[in-house]
Amino acid sequence: MTATQDVNRWLAEFGAALEGNDVETAVSLFADECYWRDLVSFTWNIKTMEGKAQIADMLTATLGHVQPGNWQLEGEANEAGGVTDGWICFETAVSRGRGHIRLIDGKCWTLLTTMTELKGHEEKKGPTRPMGVEHGVFKNRQSWLERRQQEEAELGYTTQPYCVIIGGGQGGIALGARLKRLGVPTLIIEKNPRPGDSWRNRYKSLCLHDPVWYDHLPYLPFPDHWPVFAPKDKIGDWLEMYTKVMELNYWGSTLCQQATYNEETQEWEVHVNRQGEELVLRPKQLVLATGMSGMPNVPSIPGADTFQGDIHHSSAHRDSVAYAGKKCVVLGSNNSAHDICAALYENDADVTMIQRSSTHIARSDTLMDLALGDLYSERALANGVDTNTADMIFASLPYRILHTFQIPVYEEMARRDAEFYEQLEKAGFMLDWGDDGSGLFMKYLRRGSGYYIDVGASQLIIDGSVKLRSGVNIDHIKEHSVVLTDGSELPADLIVLATGYGSMNGFAAKLISQEVADKVGKVWGLGSDTKKDPGPWEGEQRNMWKPTQQEALWFHGGNLHQSRHYSQFLSLQLKARQAGIPTPVYGLQEVHHLS
Amino acid sequence: MTATQDVNRWLAEFGAALEGNDVETAVSLFADECYWRDLVSFTWNIKTMEGKAQIADMLTATLGHVQPGNWQLEGEANEAGGVTDGWICFETAVSRGRGHIRLIDGKCWTLLTTMTELKGHEEKKGPTRPMGVEHGVFKNRQSWLERRQQEEAELGYTTQPYCVIIGGGQGGIALGARLKRLGVPTLIIEKNPRPGDSWRNRYKSLCLHDPVWYDHLPYLPFPDHWPVFAPKDKIGDWLEMYTKVMELNYWGSTLCQQATYNEETQEWEVHVNRQGEELVLRPKQLVLATGMSGMPNVPSIPGADTFQGDIHHSSAHRDSVAYAGKKCVVLGSNNSAHDICAALYENDADVTMIQRSSTHIARSDTLMDLALGDLYSERALANGVDTNTADMIFASLPYRILHTFQIPVYEEMARRDAEFYEQLEKAGFMLDWGDDGSGLFMKYLRRGSGYYIDVGASQLIIDGSVKLRSGVNIDHIKEHSVVLTDGSELPADLIVLATGYGSMNGFAAKLISQEVADKVGKVWGLGSDTKKDPGPWEGEQRNMWKPTQQEALWFHGGNLHQSRHYSQFLSLQLKARQAGIPTPVYGLQEVHHLS
């Protein structure tokens, strides 16, 4: 039997079992170790069912209303190393979907099902794109510009958006674009004046650490001369352009002050200040897209108020030129800490990094080659793996076993760059590879921190150009120095607190209430029982892009990849609710941690 | 022999003949009726050789330095209706190229050769795209923003652009983008403040008359929800954002006052006023991209100075709202005249159109289906004909015989819309289909005028909602009326002169000198010996995108399709000159008409 026949046979049996409501037969088609990751299609949730029992439970709960059918293989299936895999498509009563399947010995090992569109609410594109002009004669016709200006004038004033997105970075913008195409009236609220400012406001030398193939926004990919690692101001300009041409309703210079959900009217009351004007918005849905870097984590250090130099969080660090010849202390050892140390050094400052705990370092070139190269690279493109395909392959790997794919990558990295790591350790730098050796990406998914993608600063640590104090913290601050926990003292004109960011949950507490923040619980992380990601295992990222314990409250964000891909699933959940399509949520997550 | 074998055999024989400098054998491979259209590769010109003698002459003059080789078929050839055709690629000593060939009975009927890139000067894209960040540590590193700001501050002041483009509409912008990717320092000069203003400033109801598939700019296609006929302000916003993200050096609110070529220094001296600041630019190359609509054609009508109402050229017509209840006379019967009549009618004005001479009318839906559908449409996309492929197919049809492909299209249009045309004639409208019945596109190529793409106004003429006076002109204007050449008088509060535009040659006269304008001669048209396009036959559009009789002076423009496709060939000609690659021009056109 060929790979294609194998998958076709499986899909036929699976489809028939589901059609016959025969959960037992359907489950019997899975291997003992099996995973079904569903992005919205079956569960109206983002959920991985692990093992036959969970799959049986999900099917029992959902089959009656989901009514899946029309399972088909797209193109040909492949076989490699005992695993047969293929792309599939299917339908439910209300939607169409795409997915991916892996079979071992004819049984399903991994299944991915994702919703691509709601029937009757398809995005207008290609053959269904709008005409742009209405041919014919219409008395007092409105032009496109007049309609657009009217929409801008009315939305939030005389008409209410169905959805308000708080935070107009890449997350809010990508989601806003999808909701625009789906016809969901949406307002994006951003504290900075212009789209892209959250990038422009960062330190001068910042470039994306992720490569271009990983970073596309929905619908409008970067042109093919776009740099591999886009400089911050360039990505800022792109986001501004994108917001304009996608016709997003975007309120810059607007502070969101308070939000309350009225259970009775099922409406949010969102108090905002738009350039001095106090307004109340009444959306049905509220999305917090303030990002992984929305809430600076500023440690309270004794004596900080007596410091006579400059002290600021890394998020407030701009240009390093002013610190030429100055003594600078950078607290922290992740991406921002390293980038800022290098920028200060490049501008002739005297720099000391204070490393409190071990850090994972991955050299950019090696990381791109080993960890991303098969999916997001020119090599991938040449192999037919475009960004959309890469997103789907990536989504098809269950989080429960993702680390097992990652560990060998980082073992190879350690081998390839052995001399580099040896030199770093010799310089006193405390290295780690994640609790289980699974490296950078798992750290990102589990805790969103704990690493530096080396683009040059590690060499400064190695050769002593940037001084390193590791295994210590700042104990207290004096007028012109910091005193470390080992009692030593460093003179300082500048202290940069590269101490990371708090949970989006903290923003919910600030904006809505501590009660709602506690009800919703921790945002981000998998429950991997590793550092900063306590168990129990939850199987998907907590609270991201899916229903939370607070009705009509959603969290959106992550890197450009996640903002692109998961905005698809969040936008379809919101559209379904706006369209009045029933969205029975299977397996709403329990809350195990407050923040 | 299969189609593929047929083309491969032909290419092998052709390649061998060229390699052996054997013009006679090479020419013997062509049919008696044959055309070779070369876009830059062989001729450093835009040139169609018609018949064996012209081909022999061109090869004799160019083979020695062009050194063509490596002729290959791309993919498979096809055979239909006795014609075998295929896509080809080839090289010359200094460039790579693509082309298209049609064989009949094993002999070449049409050959297209186009330059795609200069060896050693390839655009940096895909695998050769820039990194964006320089990994490593560099003292006093400049950020992308600082470099960009420095470039903007210096270009035109302390450093001189190699190329100045006058006119920042779609033509100047598309060419500017190509020159940017080729690394040719370029400044675009535009009188309006913002990119896109030349669209924004037109009458409110204007939408593109060409469909989206025909309108893409280079490198950054519209997203797939872009409307079929983009409203003017939307295309304006797109051009503005495109200019920004492509990092074009664009001076808005800048008037170009005078340009002189110094034969000795081989440099232009271009006097501009940039927002009040007088500056002299000294580029090596000057491109006039002021467009087909750059020089309004304003007839001098006796008594116009005594008119008490509003009188303006169609290019100055904005909003029609102000004319509700007013008596409006529109002189002209082409696109703008019809659009403005309809907009005035929609705003409750009393409108009369004065048709001086016959006009070709094509209904938009019919035109899209019959004339563009095979190349630029969703149907074309579904058949694998994307915009780039369509551009090449289009370019492969020699102008000498293009009308023979067009005539049947318009015969079918006349059949399909017979009732419509009958009604128009009954209403007194003077119709034509071009001198030889070849319709709209040939009119555009020959004279750039003489037609209306009907999007609704014709029905107003038919039912009398817009009054029509045809076969007359305005003889003179009185305080509150116009007097027509038949002696009749029409009361008027508004006169719109939809009287078209002058030649780009006129702009050269104004900017440079009448002497240079006369030396260069007429711009646009083919020499078809039809109305407004006097013979002799020239074979390509006069002076467009190719060397002119004035060293270092170029004309660029046309619709979005031409701005996109021909900017490729103009940019390569300019790049070659900047790079010091010899560019011996074959067959520089003679001047037959002054303007």
Side-chain angles (χ1 to χ4, degrees):
Chain A
M1 186 147 51
T2 66
T4 295
Q5 288 169 332
D6 201 14
V7 172
N8 276 330
R9 187 262 319 151
W10 193 93
L11 287 176
E13 289 178 28
F14 186 61
L18 296 188
E19 208 149 320
N21 241 319
D22 181 353
V23 173
E24 197 177 334
T25 302
V27 170
S28 75
L29 296 166
F30 286 81
D32 286 339
E33 187 202 350
C34 60
Y35 306 91
W36 181 346
R37 186 167 194 225
D38 180 56
L39 305 181
V40 185
S41 294
F42 279 69
T43 60
W44 289 105
N45 200 347
I46 290 184
K47 196 89 191 162
T48 303
M49 279 55 69
E50 304 179 352
K52 292 185 173 188
Q54 289 188 13
I55 291 171
D57 185 72
M58 184 275 280
L59 284 177
T60 304
T62 62
L63 265 188
H65 56 267
V66 171
Q67 299 169 37
N70 204 11
W71 297 84
Q72 308 224 344
L73 178 66
E74 289 184 344
E76 300 289 316
N78 295 296
E79 198 278 332
V83 179
T84 297
D85 84 295
W87 296 103
I88 60 174
C89 58
F90 61 95
E91 292 183 29
T92 72
V94 300
S95 72
R96 293 179 197 89
R98 287 191 73 226
H100 184 264
I101 188 167
R102 290 187 185 85
L103 304 179
I104 297 181
D105 297 334
K107 302 267 188 184
C108 180
W109 173 38
T110 71
L111 178 62
L112 171 71
T113 48
T114 78
M115 188 183 286
T116 52
E117 60 185 4
L118 291 160
K119 294 178 183 172
H121 302 278
E122 297 83 359
E123 295 184 13
K124 299 210 182 316
K125 62 181 179 181
T128 61
R129 70 175 79 223
M131 285 299 283
V133 62
E134 279 181 283
H135 290 172
V137 175
F138 304 90
K139 283 285 182 183
N140 306 307
R141 177 203 292 262
Q142 263 197 324
S143 71
W144 169 85
L145 180 63
E146 287 169 328
R147 272 202 309 280
R148 184 80 190 100
Q149 286 171 338
Q150 183 181 342
E151 183 185 358
E152 284 176 336
E154 290 178 353
L155 195 67
Y157 292 87
T158 57
T159 64
Q160 285 301 319
Y162 180 77
C163 180
V164 163
I165 301 171
I166 300 181
Q170 67 244 15
I173 288 171
L175 179 62
R178 294 204 189 261
L179 291 172
K180 184 81 184 188
R181 292 237 307 198
L182 286 167
V184 178
T186 299
L187 204 49
I188 303 172
I189 303 294
E190 167 62 36
K191 65 177 188 294
N192 290 305
R194 291 189 299 154
D197 280 351
S198 41
W199 285 102
R200 293 191 191 94
N201 288 345
R202 299 299 307 278
Y203 50 92
K204 196 180 78 176
S205 59
L206 178 64
C207 291
L208 296 193
H209 292 84
D210 292 325
V212 58
W213 312 279
Y214 192 72
D215 298 335
H216 292 296
L217 294 177
Y219 312 126
L220 192 56
F222 299 116
D224 65 1
H225 67 280
W226 201 257
V228 177
F229 302 104
K232 71 180 180 79
D233 296 283
K234 190 168 170 69
I235 203 81
D237 286 352
W238 181 265
L239 289 169
E240 186 173 3
M241 174 283 280
Y242 184 91
T243 301
K244 176 88 176 174
V245 300
M246 300 302 284
E247 300 180 31
L248 308 190
N249 292 296
Y250 191 99
W251 286 6
S253 301
T254 302
L255 288 169
C256 193
Q257 296 164 320
Q258 226 253 305
T260 319
Y261 190 63
N262 185 326
E263 300 282 349
E264 209 167 306
T265 60
Q266 301 206 303
E267 217 169 66
W268 287 93
E269 187 176 293
V270 184
H271 292 256
V272 304
N273 182 310
R274 187 187 191 191
Q275 302 179 334
E277 183 183 6
E278 304 278 345
L279 291 161
V280 179
L281 302 172
R282 299 185 188 283
K284 295 289 184 188
Q285 309 288 342
L286 184 65
V287 180
L288 302 189
T290 50
M292 300 283 288
S293 308
M295 293 277 285
N297 207 346
V298 182
S300 155
I301 307 176
D305 52 336
T306 67
F307 186 59
Q308 296 296 301
D310 290 348
I311 179 167
H312 50 238
H313 186 263
S314 57
S315 59
H317 188 75
R318 301 280 180 277
D319 199 338
S320 297
V321 171
Y323 300 104
K326 304 283 182 177
K327 295 194 183 309
C328 304
V329 172
V330 177
L331 178 64
S333 54
N334 286 352
N335 267 333
S336 294
H338 275 87
D339 277 356
I340 291 171
C341 282
L344 287 166
Y345 172 80
E346 287 180 341
N347 285 285
D348 298 319
D350 175 281
V351 193
T352 304
M353 173 188 281
I354 298 179
Q355 184 187 27
R356 296 171 295 176
S357 56
S358 67
T359 310
H360 172 53
I361 309 285
R363 299 180 85 172
S364 179
D365 289 351
T366 317
L367 185 73
M368 293 308 127
D369 185 31
L370 296 179
L372 283 176
D374 288 344
L375 294 181
Y376 300 96
S377 68
E378 291 294 333
R379 185 176 92 216
L381 283 179
N383 290 333
V385 179
D386 61 11
T387 295
N388 181 47
T389 306
D391 287 351
M392 287 290 282
I393 294 174
F394 205 32
S396 76
L397 299 167
Y399 284 142
R400 175 67 97 175
I401 54 172
L402 187 53
H403 64 289
T404 66
F405 297 92
Q406 297 285 305
I407 290 168
V409 170
Y410 291 87
E411 286 173 347
E412 173 58 23
M413 186 180 288
R415 269 192 296 277
R416 190 184 289 188
D417 294 333
E419 196 184 327
F420 167 77
Y421 291 112
E422 210 172 283
Q423 289 176 323
L424 262 181
E425 287 195 311
K426 213 170 137 194
F429 196 87
M430 300 185 298
L431 286 170
D432 74 62
W433 296 82
D435 284 10
D436 51 3
S438 59
L440 192 139
F441 197 74
M442 294 311 301
K443 273 203 169 191
Y444 176 71
L445 289 172
R446 291 165 174 174
R447 51 180 283 200
S449 65
Y451 51 83
Y452 167 53
I453 299 175
D454 178 39
V455 292
S458 290
Q459 187 56 42
L460 297 176
I461 302 282
I462 288 169
D463 66 23
S465 301
V466 165
K467 292 168 220 162
L468 176 70
R469 298 298 307 274
S470 69
V472 292
N473 200 339
I474 298 179
D475 182 76
H476 61 282
I477 297 175
K478 295 176 28 177
E479 284 192 5
H480 297 286
S481 65
V482 300
V483 179
L484 304 184
T485 46
D486 66 356
S488 62
E489 186 167 353
L490 296 175
D493 302 305
L494 167 69
I495 304 171
V496 178
L497 304 170
T499 42
Y501 296 87
S503 160
M504 275 192 273
N505 182 280
F507 187 79
K510 202 176 127 192
L511 180 71
I512 307 167
S513 68
Q514 190 61 52
E515 188 196 343
V516 166
D518 290 349
K519 183 163 113 183
V520 167
K522 185 173 169 66
V523 177
W524 205 263
L526 302 168
S528 62
D529 202 18
T530 58
K531 192 175 174 187
K532 298 199 178 178
D533 182 29
W537 178 249
E538 306 204 18
E540 292 285 344
Q541 289 204 283
R542 297 182 190 93
N543 278 315
M544 293 303 294
W545 314 294
K546 61 184 178 182
T548 69
Q549 291 286 350
Q550 171 59 56
E551 177 75 24
L553 178 66
W554 310 79
F555 293 89
H556 176 59
N559 58 30
L560 281 153
H561 154 75
Q562 292 170 309
S563 295
R564 171 184 64 251
H565 195 215
Y566 287 95
S567 59
Q568 176 182 330
F569 307 109
L570 178 47
S571 68
L572 288 167
Q573 292 172 77
L574 293 166
K575 177 67 195 180
R577 283 162 174 81
Q578 186 225 8
I581 296 168
T583 57
V585 175
Y586 172 78
L588 184 68
Q589 74 182 62
E590 290 173 51
V591 172
H592 300 288
H593 307 282
L594 292 187
S595 66
Chain B
M1 186 146 52
T2 67
T4 295
Q5 287 169 334
D6 199 15
V7 173
N8 277 330
R9 187 263 319 150
W10 193 92
L11 288 176
E13 289 178 29
F14 185 61
L18 297 189
E19 207 149 324
N21 242 319
D22 182 353
V23 172
E24 196 177 334
T25 302
V27 170
S28 75
L29 295 167
F30 286 81
D32 287 337
E33 187 202 351
C34 60
Y35 305 91
W36 181 345
R37 185 167 195 225
D38 180 55
L39 304 181
V40 184
S41 293
F42 279 69
T43 58
W44 289 104
N45 200 347
I46 291 184
K47 196 89 191 161
T48 302
M49 278 57 68
E50 303 179 353
K52 291 183 174 191
Q54 289 188 12
I55 291 172
D57 186 73
M58 184 275 282
L59 284 177
T60 304
T62 63
L63 264 188
H65 57 267
V66 171
Q67 297 169 38
N70 204 12
W71 298 84
Q72 309 224 343
L73 179 66
E74 289 183 346
E76 300 288 317
N78 294 297
E79 198 277 332
V83 179
T84 297
D85 83 297
W87 296 103
I88 60 174
C89 57
F90 62 95
E91 292 183 30
T92 73
V94 300
S95 72
R96 294 182 196 86
R98 288 191 74 225
H100 184 265
I101 188 167
R102 290 187 185 86
L103 304 179
I104 296 181
D105 296 333
K107 302 266 189 184
C108 181
W109 172 39
T110 71
L111 178 62
L112 171 71
T113 48
T114 78
M115 189 182 287
T116 52
E117 58 186 3
L118 290 160
K119 293 177 183 173
H121 302 278
E122 296 83 0
E123 295 184 15
K124 298 207 182 320
K125 62 182 179 181
T128 61
R129 69 175 80 223
M131 285 298 283
V133 63
E134 279 181 283
H135 289 172
V137 175
F138 304 90
K139 283 285 182 182
N140 306 308
R141 176 203 293 262
Q142 264 196 324
S143 71
W144 169 85
L145 181 63
E146 287 169 330
R147 272 201 309 280
R148 184 81 190 98
Q149 286 171 338
Q150 184 181 340
E151 184 184 357
E152 285 175 336
E154 290 178 355
L155 195 68
Y157 293 87
T158 57
T159 64
Q160 284 302 320
Y162 180 77
C163 181
V164 163
I165 301 171
I166 299 180
Q170 67 244 16
I173 288 171
L175 178 63
R178 294 205 187 260
L179 291 172
K180 184 80 185 190
R181 293 237 308 199
L182 286 168
V184 178
T186 300
L187 204 48
I188 303 171
I189 303 295
E190 166 62 35
K191 65 176 189 294
N192 290 304
R194 291 188 297 153
D197 279 352
S198 39
W199 285 102
R200 292 190 191 94
N201 289 345
R202 299 299 307 278
Y203 50 91
K204 197 181 79 174
S205 60
L206 179 63
C207 291
L208 297 192
H209 292 83
D210 293 325
V212 58
W213 313 278
Y214 191 73
D215 297 335
H216 293 295
L217 294 178
Y219 311 128
L220 191 57
F222 299 116
D224 65 1
H225 67 280
W226 202 259
V228 176
F229 302 103
K232 72 181 179 76
D233 295 282
K234 191 168 170 69
I235 203 80
D237 286 351
W238 181 266
L239 288 169
E240 184 173 5
M241 296 308 144
Y242 184 91
T243 301
K244 176 86 177 178
V245 302
M246 299 303 283
E247 300 180 32
L248 308 189
N249 294 296
Y250 191 101
W251 286 6
S253 300
T254 302
L255 288 169
C256 194
Q257 296 164 318
Q258 225 255 305
T260 320
Y261 189 63
N262 186 326
E263 300 282 348
E264 209 167 306
T265 60
Q266 300 205 304
E267 218 169 64
W268 287 94
E269 187 175 292
V270 184
H271 291 256
V272 304
N273 182 310
R274 186 187 191 192
Q275 302 180 334
E277 184 183 8
E278 303 279 346
L279 290 161
V280 179
L281 302 172
R282 299 186 187 282
K284 296 288 185 188
Q285 308 288 342
L286 184 65
V287 180
L288 302 189
T290 49
M292 300 283 288
S293 307
M295 294 277 285
N297 208 347
V298 182
S300 155
I301 306 176
D305 51 335
T306 67
F307 187 58
Q308 296 296 303
D310 290 348
I311 178 166
H312 50 239
H313 186 263
S314 58
S315 59
H317 188 75
R318 302 279 181 276
D319 200 338
S320 298
V321 171
Y323 301 103
K326 305 281 183 177
K327 295 195 183 309
C328 304
V329 172
V330 177
L331 178 64
S333 53
N334 286 351
N335 268 331
S336 294
H338 275 87
D339 277 356
I340 291 171
C341 282
L344 286 166
Y345 173 81
E346 288 180 340
N347 286 283
D348 298 320
D350 176 281
V351 194
T352 304
M353 173 187 281
I354 298 178
Q355 185 187 27
R356 297 170 296 175
S357 56
S358 67
T359 309
H360 172 52
I361 308 285
R363 300 181 84 172
S364 179
D365 289 351
T366 315
L367 185 73
M368 294 307 128
D369 185 31
L370 295 179
L372 283 175
D374 288 345
L375 293 182
Y376 301 95
S377 68
E378 291 294 332
R379 182 176 93 216
L381 283 178
N383 289 334
V385 179
D386 62 13
T387 294
N388 181 46
T389 305
D391 286 352
M392 288 289 282
I393 294 173
F394 205 32
S396 76
L397 300 168
Y399 284 142
R400 175 67 95 174
I401 54 173
L402 188 52
H403 65 287
T404 65
F405 296 92
Q406 297 284 307
I407 290 167
V409 169
Y410 290 86
E411 286 173 348
E412 172 58 23
M413 186 179 288
R415 268 192 296 275
R416 192 184 288 188
D417 294 332
E419 196 185 328
F420 166 78
Y421 291 113
E422 209 172 285
Q423 290 176 322
L424 262 181
E425 288 195 309
K426 213 170 138 196
F429 196 86
M430 300 186 297
L431 284 170
D432 74 63
W433 296 82
D435 283 11
D436 52 3
S438 60
L440 192 141
F441 197 74
M442 292 313 300
K443 273 203 169 190
Y444 176 72
L445 289 172
R446 291 165 174 174
R447 50 179 284 200
S449 66
Y451 52 83
Y452 167 53
I453 299 176
D454 178 38
V455 292
S458 290
Q459 187 56 44
L460 298 176
I461 301 283
I462 288 169
D463 66 22
S465 301
V466 166
K467 293 167 219 161
L468 176 70
R469 297 298 305 274
S470 68
V472 292
N473 200 339
I474 298 181
D475 181 77
H476 62 281
I477 298 176
K478 296 178 25 179
E479 284 192 7
H480 298 285
S481 64
V482 300
V483 179
L484 304 184
T485 46
D486 66 356
S488 62
E489 185 167 352
L490 297 174
D493 303 304
L494 167 70
I495 304 170
V496 179
L497 304 169
T499 42
Y501 296 88
S503 160
M504 276 193 272
N505 183 280
F507 188 79
K510 200 176 126 191
L511 180 72
I512 307 167
S513 68
Q514 190 61 50
E515 187 195 343
V516 166
D518 290 348
K519 183 163 111 182
V520 166
K522 184 174 170 65
V523 177
W524 206 264
L526 301 167
S528 62
D529 201 19
T530 58
K531 191 174 174 189
K532 297 199 179 180
D533 182 31
W537 178 249
E538 306 205 16
E540 292 284 344
Q541 289 203 285
R542 297 182 190 93
N543 279 314
M544 293 303 296
W545 316 293
K546 62 183 178 182
T548 68
Q549 292 284 351
Q550 170 59 55
E551 177 76 23
L553 178 66
W554 309 80
F555 293 88
H556 176 59
N559 58 29
L560 282 152
H561 154 75
Q562 291 170 310
S563 295
R564 170 184 66 251
H565 195 216
Y566 288 94
S567 57
Q568 175 182 329
F569 307 109
L570 178 48
S571 68
L572 288 167
Q573 292 174 76
L574 293 166
K575 177 68 196 178
R577 284 162 174 80
Q578 186 225 9
I581 296 168
T583 56
V585 175
Y586 172 78
L588 185 67
Q589 74 181 62
E590 288 173 54
V591 172
H592 300 287
H593 306 282
L594 293 188
S595 64

